[in-house]
Amino acid sequence: MTSIVVFDYGFGNVRSMVRAVANLGADVELTSDVDKAMAADGVVVPGVGAFAACVEGLRRAGGDAMIYDRLRARKPVLGVCVGLQVMFDMGYEGGVPTEGLGVLGGSVRELQAPVVPQMGWNTVDAAPGSTLMKGVEHERFYFVHSYCVSDPAPEGRVTGLFEPGDDFKVAWCEYGQSRFAAAVERGPLAITQFHPEKSAQAGATLLRNWIGSFQAA
């Protein structure tokens, strides 16, 4: 049975993710144990709250090194919501520059919209050839966020995490005046700004796609 760890570092809506993954038949464990996270077939990095606090919490728990090590070892990582945002180089929440994990290039900035946060369903346009969003290329997913990444790039501050042949695929969403990355795929990394665990059948399909991508490997 496929083993999935939902990494618990104190900043995530972890119970709903555990249930969503378990409903797909995977063996799922909620833990802050980095050794168990390294050994699992797949790891989910959730995130709820302030960017700087999530980055600090991940580092305190050893989650940053775990993520780097898994990516270098070609082991799948799925980041969700602020779990997407922390993968980028910089965050500017509250106007204060804060280093992210630097897995990918790009900056986390406030949504430009009449109403912030975006809270509810919005349509996502998948990247051509997306593995993560196969069958749900133009579906609606559930978002809760005030910040976003509008300038994603395939290389971040931390190098050596990917291979030259790893495609960089970005799914986009629009809210107010912002066009931002709703999901990004590169090699063993998949990240979503929306919450697949709260996105009904479309979210279940996405999680099934993610698990299936390494079940078949």
Side-chain angles (χ1 to χ4, degrees), residues 30 33 48 68 98 115 119-120 122 124 139 143 167-168 210:
L30 174 64
D33 187 318
V48 172
Y68 300 147
T98 304
V115 177
M119 187 177 298
N122 203 344
V124 173
E139 292 289 343
F143 291 83
D167 290 338
F168 180 62
W210 177 63

Side-chain angles (χ1 to χ4, degrees), residues 123-127 130 133-139 141:
T123 302
V124 173
D125 290 326
S130 170
M133 299 189 66
K134 184 178 181 180
V136 289
E137 288 87 353
H138 304 287
E139 292 289 343
F141 291 85

